[in-house]
Amino acid sequence: MTVLNPAGEGRRCKGGFLESYLFWTNPQESPEDYHLWNAISILGTALGRKCFNNRGFFTLYPNFFIVLVGDSQLTHKSTSISMGKKVLMESIGDDIHLASDNITKSGLVEALAERYREKDISDVHISNSEFIELLGDTTRDKEFVPFLTRLHDCDDFASNKTRIHGTETFNKCFGNMVSGSTESWFRDSLGAQHISGGFFSRLLPIPREPSGKSNPHPQKTFTQDIQDAREDCIHDLQKVHDLDGNFEWTPEAEDLYDSWYRDSAPTNKPRDLWGYYGKKRDTVIKLAMVISASFNDDMDIKASDLEYAMAILSGNERYLSKIIRYLETTQEGAVTEKVRSYIKKNNKISRRKILQNLSHSGISGDILDGVIKTIGGGSGSREVRETSTNKGIIYEWTGEN
């Protein structure tokens, strides 16, 4: 990897913001990568929508939807998120929009609309320790995930209907999120239709095991040099927040990205990760912007910034296949059980009604056919008998009650 540039004039984090941030958080028991991605998140919020990379046909902004995934109580996800949020608020809290921990879709829409009326921008930093609380029951509110997708994509023009205020306008969107989840809650909050859909490809899951650190008296490790590093981060985050405009490419960075882009076709990867790798081509640029700003004010994307961004993403990809397999296998079992229980409850029901009543769970005709085959449709019936009538296909429960 190319040696990264030293910190720019006026910066206190001499090895860059990320190095100082990881130094002051090191004694805490969360996995180091949780702190790394929290630091990336707050840097992105400090840059905001006023900083971007012009891609000609579209514009990239330095925002991320990050989900820290790990065992409850053992990985200390909430603590790491709280530490990042406090640094952010102490540094530039008066100039950003922080969503409340228990924000709902309607509350978020109204807050973004009010922010647009006041600041001419609908920006928000979502720092929520429980991803499942943020999404709630996506089967009841089918519009929340598409709404979050538009927020992630930083739509120029957006509106949403609310029960109380009618249509609310929240143009010039910028949404940045860091949240936490266990593997099972991550699956349950998304649902089958979103695991296979576009929203999942916009998420950056950071699955990690417990760090193995043991620090029974953290107050004793909060030494003066740790405190100084934290203050340096607060100072430099203000410098990052002052930046404004387009991040330009250096010729070396352009050449590196060209070569990497041609070798990173999503179709060369496992099919279940095509969405992630398709978005990775944008994500690496977003990360490079954040890394550039973490060192100095020149707003240049350098080859070293790209290499650092690629290394960070590659480091996380070692863990992605495991969580994708978990989501797919457990979700497949959950869908099978949902259909099985529904037929058993109704005793006899038409295919049309199943698709009509379970469509909110992401159950399509193809998925239903696979489930019926699994639980014993057709002549080899075990629990369900399939019969063709002049009114369509009927499924009848024949298993134990």
Side-chain angles (χ1 to χ4, degrees), residues 224-289:
Q224 189 59 52
D225 56 344
I226 295 291
Q227 296 177 52
D228 290 344
R230 185 179 186 277
E231 290 301 316
D232 291 343
C233 289
I234 291 172
H235 174 273
D236 281 12
L237 200 60
Q238 293 170 337
K239 291 285 188 180
V240 172
H241 188 53
D242 290 338
L243 298 178
D244 191 336
N246 183 45
F247 276 82
E248 304 284 354
W249 297 81
T250 64
E252 296 79 11
E254 277 195 331
D255 290 344
L256 174 61
Y257 186 77
D258 288 351
S259 175
W260 175 82
Y261 187 95
R262 299 178 199 285
D263 293 336
S264 65
T267 50
N268 293 333
K269 305 296 182 181
R271 191 179 186 92
D272 52 15
L273 290 174
W274 279 8
Y276 166 82
Y277 281 103
K279 285 294 180 185
K280 182 181 177 180
R281 291 169 161 181
D282 292 341
T283 306
V284 74
I285 298 174
K286 292 181 171 191
L287 265 179
M289 284 191 275

Side-chain angles (χ1 to χ4, degrees), residues 165-391:
H165 300 289
T167 299
E168 293 275 26
T169 299
F170 49 97
N171 296 343
K172 300 179 184 177
C173 297
F174 181 87
N176 209 17
M177 180 191 79
V178 58
S179 189
S181 181
T182 63
E183 286 185 341
S184 59
W185 288 353
F186 191 44
R187 175 205 68 207
D188 293 344
S189 58
L190 284 172
Q193 70 273 40
H194 301 307
I195 289 174
S196 59
F199 180 64
F200 181 75
S201 69
R202 289 164 170 80
L203 297 177
L204 280 169
I206 314 298
R208 295 296 184 273
E209 298 295 328
S211 67
K213 297 178 186 177
S214 179
N215 188 358
H217 301 290
Q219 73 279 7
K220 294 182 179 180
T221 59
F222 198 58
T223 57
Q224 189 59 52
D225 56 344
I226 295 291
Q227 296 177 52
D228 290 344
R230 185 179 186 277
E231 290 301 316
D232 291 343
C233 289
I234 291 172
H235 174 273
D236 281 12
L237 200 60
Q238 293 170 337
K239 291 285 188 180
V240 172
H241 188 53
D242 290 338
L243 298 178
D244 191 336
N246 183 45
F247 276 82
E248 304 284 354
W249 297 81
T250 64
E252 296 79 11
E254 277 195 331
D255 290 344
L256 174 61
Y257 186 77
D258 288 351
S259 175
W260 175 82
Y261 187 95
R262 299 178 199 285
D263 293 336
S264 65
T267 50
N268 293 333
K269 305 296 182 181
R271 191 179 186 92
D272 52 15
L273 290 174
W274 279 8
Y276 166 82
Y277 281 103
K279 285 294 180 185
K280 182 181 177 180
R281 291 169 161 181
D282 292 341
T283 306
V284 74
I285 298 174
K286 292 181 171 191
L287 265 179
M289 284 191 275
V290 164
I291 291 166
S292 173
S294 75
F295 283 97
N296 53 56
D297 305 337
D298 61 18
M299 299 191 71
D300 286 337
I301 296 177
K302 296 172 283 295
S304 58
D305 301 324
L306 277 174
E307 288 181 332
Y308 195 1
M310 293 170 185
I312 290 173
L313 289 174
S314 295
N316 189 54
E317 284 158 14
R318 294 185 297 138
Y319 303 89
L320 281 184
S321 294
K322 174 179 177 290
I323 194 169
I324 294 292
R325 286 195 300 271
Y326 172 81
L327 290 171
E328 288 184 334
T329 55
T330 53
Q331 193 64 43
E332 182 180 350
V335 168
T336 298
E337 182 57 31
K338 184 179 287 289
V339 173
R340 180 181 178 277
S341 299
Y342 194 73
I343 295 174
K344 181 179 179 180
K345 176 183 176 182
N346 288 275
N347 191 44
K348 185 184 291 187
I349 190 168
S350 70
R351 174 185 175 85
R352 180 181 60 80
K353 282 192 175 182
I354 292 177
L355 292 174
Q356 181 181 14
N357 295 332
L358 296 184
S359 62
H360 64 271
S361 298
I363 296 173
S364 64
D366 288 342
I367 291 175
L368 179 58
D369 289 341
V371 170
I372 294 299
K373 192 175 295 185
T374 298
I375 62 179
S379 59
S381 175
R382 295 188 301 276
E383 292 184 318
V384 172
R385 178 181 296 116
E386 177 182 318
T387 306
S388 294
T389 72
N390 57 0
K391 293 184 178 181

Side-chain angles (χ1 to χ4, degrees), residues 16-235:
F17 181 92
L18 295 177
E19 180 179 291
S20 292
Y21 191 93
L22 293 180
F23 177 77
W24 91 261
T25 56
N26 180 63
Q28 196 269 331
E29 293 179 345
S30 298
E32 181 179 82
D33 285 344
Y34 283 2
H35 291 302
L36 173 64
W37 284 96
N38 272 294
I40 289 168
S41 178
I42 63 176
L43 283 166
T45 291
L47 288 171
R49 203 180 197 273
K50 57 188 173 52
C51 297
F52 52 90
N53 178 244
N54 185 349
R55 303 292 287 154
F57 296 108
F58 60 96
T59 303
L60 284 179
Y61 299 97
N63 68 314
F64 309 91
F65 275 18
I66 298 164
V67 185
L68 311 179
V69 182
D71 292 330
S72 183
Q73 303 300 321
L74 298 178
T75 53
H76 307 286
K77 301 179 295 291
S78 299
T79 301
S80 68
I81 292 171
S82 177
M83 290 168 71
K85 180 165 64 175
K86 287 177 181 177
V87 167
L88 179 67
M89 297 307 292
E90 288 180 37
S91 178
I92 57 173
D94 292 339
D95 202 28
I96 64 168
H97 174 207
L98 180 70
S100 62
D101 290 341
N102 58 348
I103 193 75
T104 62
K105 177 200 167 188
S106 60
L108 189 54
V109 168
E110 290 165 14
L112 289 171
E114 182 178 355
R115 180 78 171 171
Y116 178 67
R117 289 191 291 268
E118 293 178 353
K119 301 288 186 178
D120 195 38
I121 183 173
S122 297
D123 60 341
V124 64
H125 180 86
I126 302 172
S127 181
N128 187 292
S129 60
E130 299 295 350
F131 186 61
I132 196 169
E133 290 182 6
L134 173 66
L135 259 65
D137 187 350
T138 55
T139 64
R140 294 181 182 176
D141 189 351
K142 300 177 185 178
E143 296 300 317
F144 196 24
V145 166
F147 165 77
L148 287 174
T149 300
R150 301 201 322 266
L151 187 60
H152 171 277
D153 293 350
C154 300
D155 282 4
D156 290 327
F157 306 101
S159 62
N160 201 89
K161 289 183 179 179
T162 63
R163 292 181 180 178
I164 299 176
H165 300 289
T167 299
E168 293 275 26
T169 299
F170 49 97
N171 296 343
K172 300 179 184 177
C173 297
F174 181 87
N176 209 17
M177 180 191 79
V178 58
S179 189
S181 181
T182 63
E183 286 185 341
S184 59
W185 288 353
F186 191 44
R187 175 205 68 207
D188 293 344
S189 58
L190 284 172
Q193 70 273 40
H194 301 307
I195 289 174
S196 59
F199 180 64
F200 181 75
S201 69
R202 289 164 170 80
L203 297 177
L204 280 169
I206 314 298
R208 295 296 184 273
E209 298 295 328
S211 67
K213 297 178 186 177
S214 179
N215 188 358
H217 301 290
Q219 73 279 7
K220 294 182 179 180
T221 59
F222 198 58
T223 57
Q224 189 59 52
D225 56 344
I226 295 291
Q227 296 177 52
D228 290 344
R230 185 179 186 277
E231 290 301 316
D232 291 343
C233 289
I234 291 172
H235 174 273

